[in-house]
């Protein structure tokens, strides 16, 4: 990709790591996991198109699924133009804590490169954790990459534990409600395409600079972190009626 320059140095395109973290427990069986599979598959070309308009970032995708235990479906980050979604099945319990532990291990340096952009973490879940999620979450919170990451959660159905999802995002506004297939599809589309532009116009510096800790691997030059433009989050009330989960 073309290199960009800024005063005092050179800014080449930097990796932007995008993580799907998907609940595959038994309660997701049927329409829910089918909608997730279809929505993400459909969004991949749109993510690639958004990435083309974000010239200072190279978008890399990984997928982590959790049910009884957790597993990486992509062992290494894959460039969006080469990424192919593999349909997920649903069964088992909801070991969210295990997913958090695996994620924390990947947000340290290494394996994450020191010069990457803030990562994007998108968590989709429809239930309540069945393991000690707080232990895994505490491990995540120790990571500078997690503290500055763009964290989005999609709350699927009325039985989802929104309090847990708010603990993950640290921001109630970034827990998106999806109580039917149409809403879930729109929330996934918004999260995937908007977050793919996190380092470009969809992000802006905060008004007041803040001091960055010494171990912050991607602080902006003025100490102001990047934040996501939340102005176009779909309103669940505007989404057509359908079967309510």
């Amino acid at each position: 990709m073309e290199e960009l320059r800024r005063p005092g140095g050179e800014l080449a395109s930097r990796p932007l790591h995008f993580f799907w973290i998907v609940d595959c427990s038994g309660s997701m069986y049927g329409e829910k996991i089918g909608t997730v599979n279809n929505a993400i598959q459909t969004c991949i070309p749109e993510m690639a198109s958004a990435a083309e308009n974000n010239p200072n970032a190279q978008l890399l995708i990984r997928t982590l699924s959790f049910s009884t235990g957790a597993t990486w479906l992509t062992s290494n980050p894959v460039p969006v133009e080469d990424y192919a979604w593999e349909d997920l099945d649903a069964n088992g319990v909801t070991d969210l804590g295990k997913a958090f532990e695996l994620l924390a291990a990947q947000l340290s340096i290494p394996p994450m490169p020191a010069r990457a952009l803030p990562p994007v973490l998108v968590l989709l879940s429809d239930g309540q954790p069945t393991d000690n999620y707080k232990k895994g979450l505490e491990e995540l919170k120790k990571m500078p990459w997690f503290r500055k990451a763009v964290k989005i959660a999609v709350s699927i159905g009325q039985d989802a534990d929104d309090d847990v999802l708010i603990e993950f995002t640290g921001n109630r506004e970034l827990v998106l409600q999806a109580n039917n297939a149409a809403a879930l599809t729109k929330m996934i589309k918004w999260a995937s395409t908007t977050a793919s532009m996190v380092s470009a116009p969809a992000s802006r510096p905060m008004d007041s600079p803040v001091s960055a800790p010494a171990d912050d691997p991607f602080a902006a030059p003025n100490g102001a972190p990047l934040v996501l433009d939340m102005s176009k989050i779909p309103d669940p009330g505007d989404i057509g009626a359908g079967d309510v989960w």
Side-chain angles (χ1 to χ4, degrees):
M1 289 185 178
E2 181 183 355
E3 291 187 346
L4 306 179
R5 294 179 180 273
R6 66 183 180 195
E10 189 175 80
L11 178 62
S13 61
R14 294 189 290 166
L16 170 58
H17 289 258
F18 186 108
F19 295 84
W20 291 112
I21 308 156
V22 185
D23 184 346
C24 292
S25 61
S27 57
M28 288 285 291
Y29 182 81
E31 186 180 24
K32 291 179 183 177
I33 197 65
T35 301
V36 169
N37 285 327
N38 184 66
I40 296 180
Q41 180 68 49
T42 301
C43 284
I44 299 303
E46 297 185 40
M47 293 179 74
S49 177
E52 288 182 358
N53 294 316
N54 193 357
N56 60 327
Q58 178 192 21
L59 183 61
L60 304 169
I61 303 179
R62 297 188 67 176
T63 303
L64 173 62
S65 68
F66 63 97
S67 55
T68 304
T71 185
W72 288 105
L73 302 180
T74 45
S75 57
N76 295 296
V78 178
V80 64
E81 60 270 20
D82 299 327
Y83 184 78
W85 179 259
E86 295 185 12
D87 284 354
L88 301 174
D89 295 322
N91 58 71
V93 295
T94 310
D95 286 344
L96 180 59
K98 183 60 177 177
F100 286 163
E101 290 175 9
L102 293 185
L103 182 60
Q106 293 300 314
L107 292 182
S108 61
I109 302 176
M112 285 283 282
R115 63 182 294 276
L117 291 161
V120 177
L121 314 175
V122 180
L123 169 63
L124 295 86
S125 183
D126 79 329
Q128 302 184 7
T130 51
D131 63 352
N132 183 6
Y133 79 92
K134 286 185 177 292
K135 178 181 177 183
L137 187 57
E138 286 305 312
E139 288 299 312
L140 272 177
K141 288 181 177 179
K142 294 176 184 177
M143 302 293 170
W145 290 102
F146 180 78
R147 294 197 297 267
K148 291 290 182 64
V150 174
K151 298 176 283 288
I152 301 169
V154 180
S155 173
I156 304 173
Q158 299 179 77
D159 293 333
D161 192 331
D162 286 357
D163 289 338
V164 171
L165 301 181
I166 292 168
E167 286 186 66
F168 171 77
T169 64
N171 184 340
R172 183 179 295 272
E173 289 184 83
L174 285 176
V175 176
L176 314 181
Q177 301 297 318
N179 290 331
N180 57 47
L184 178 55
T185 298
K186 287 196 174 185
M187 296 308 176
I188 287 175
K189 180 178 180 180
W190 180 87
S192 62
T193 55
T194 304
S196 297
M197 294 292 290
V198 67
S199 66
S203 296
R204 61 189 184 279
M206 295 177 66
D207 292 335
S208 301
V210 295
S211 59
D215 62 350
D216 186 337
F218 48 78
N222 63 358
L226 297 171
V227 294
L228 189 67
D229 180 1
M230 299 186 291
S231 63
K232 296 183 180 179
I233 294 178
D235 181 352
D238 294 336
I239 297 172
D243 292 336
V244 176
W245 294 326

